[in-house]
């Protein structure tokens, strides 16, 4: 009967703090994981595979940190494994798209993909010339900037 009556004392306040700390780790990893995924250029399901691999990595590290006794430190298995997985997924997607867009824009600017169409109006004729962005920016004073279209 003595063995049956042994209970471990669990500090609920500490368990809640552990859950909040684990959630903060997941959010930070979602942000940096999304940025890394976008910079590496992953698209489609590869990005989601990257996210789920990142979550598995976080769970492994939390297991190691809790010395494989997660029931002492977390409220339950679902709290330990998933946390708030959907809001973390949205955070990951947002930073993934942001990094992908910034990478795309900077690559296009480096490769001079954008052209400036400068229209200078003389007396009766419009002269249209195409310039790369770098050429346009270097000769900016020569153009009426109200008539420049970038495509």
């Amino acid at each position: 009967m003595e063995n049956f009556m042994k209970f471990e004392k669990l500090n609920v306040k500490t368990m809640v703090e552990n859950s909040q700390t684990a959630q903060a780790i997941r959010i930070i990893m979602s942000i940096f994981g999304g940025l890394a995924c976008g910079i590496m250029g992953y698209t489609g399901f590869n990005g989601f595979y990257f996210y789920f691999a990142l979550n598995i990595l976080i769970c492994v590290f939390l297991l190691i940190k809790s010395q494989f006794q997660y029931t002492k430190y977390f409220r339950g298995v679902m709290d330990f494994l998933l946390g708030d997985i959907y809001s973390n997924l949205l955070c990951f997607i947002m930073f993934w798209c942001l990094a992908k867009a910034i990478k795309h824009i900077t690559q296009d600017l480096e490769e001079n993909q954008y052209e400036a169409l400068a229209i200078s109006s003389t007396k009766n004729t419009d002269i249209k010339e195409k310039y790369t962005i770098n050429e346009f920016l270097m000769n900016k004073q020569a153009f009426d900037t109200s008539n420049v279209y970038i495509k």
Side-chain angles (χ1 to χ4, degrees):
M1 190 77 170
E2 286 180 26
N3 290 336
F4 181 70
M5 297 301 275
K6 283 187 177 180
F7 291 107
E8 280 191 51
K9 290 185 178 181
L10 299 176
N11 190 344
V12 177
K13 181 181 176 187
T14 307
M15 292 175 90
V16 170
E17 288 175 359
N18 290 338
S19 295
Q20 289 173 347
T21 304
Q23 181 60 22
I25 291 169
R26 286 184 182 105
I27 290 171
I28 290 169
M29 291 303 286
S30 292
I31 291 170
F32 287 113
L35 290 173
C37 190
I39 290 170
M40 289 188 288
Y42 290 151
T43 57
F45 285 112
N46 291 336
F48 291 107
Y49 298 147
F50 184 83
Y51 173 72
F52 290 116
L54 187 65
N55 271 334
I56 291 169
L57 184 68
I58 291 170
C59 287
V60 168
F61 283 135
L62 287 175
L63 264 175
I64 292 170
K65 183 67 177 169
S66 67
Q67 300 168 351
F68 299 97
Q69 298 175 350
Y70 62 89
T71 55
K72 281 185 176 180
Y73 301 102
F74 294 97
R75 291 181 283 188
V77 177
M78 296 306 283
D79 183 39
F80 173 73
L81 290 177
L82 300 178
D84 194 8
I85 194 166
Y86 296 112
S87 65
N88 295 339
L89 179 63
L90 293 176
C91 184
F92 175 84
I93 291 171
M94 181 177 70
F95 281 95
W96 176 21
C97 292
L98 175 71
K100 181 74 173 156
I102 289 173
K103 180 184 175 190
H104 178 71
I105 289 170
T106 55
Q107 281 180 341
D108 284 352
L109 286 176
E110 287 174 0
E111 295 171 2
N112 291 324
Q113 292 290 326
Y114 293 98
E115 295 177 340
L117 180 62
I119 301 172
S120 58
S121 297
T122 56
K123 295 182 181 176
N124 290 329
T125 61
D126 287 339
I127 301 171
K128 297 180 182 179
E129 298 180 36
K130 287 187 177 181
Y131 298 92
T132 64
I133 288 292
N134 291 336
E135 291 172 344
F136 172 73
L137 291 176
M138 292 177 75
N139 299 323
K140 193 174 177 182
Q141 301 85 3
F143 301 109
D144 178 17
T145 55
S146 63
N147 292 328
V148 173
Y149 306 99
I150 297 176
K151 65 172 189 168

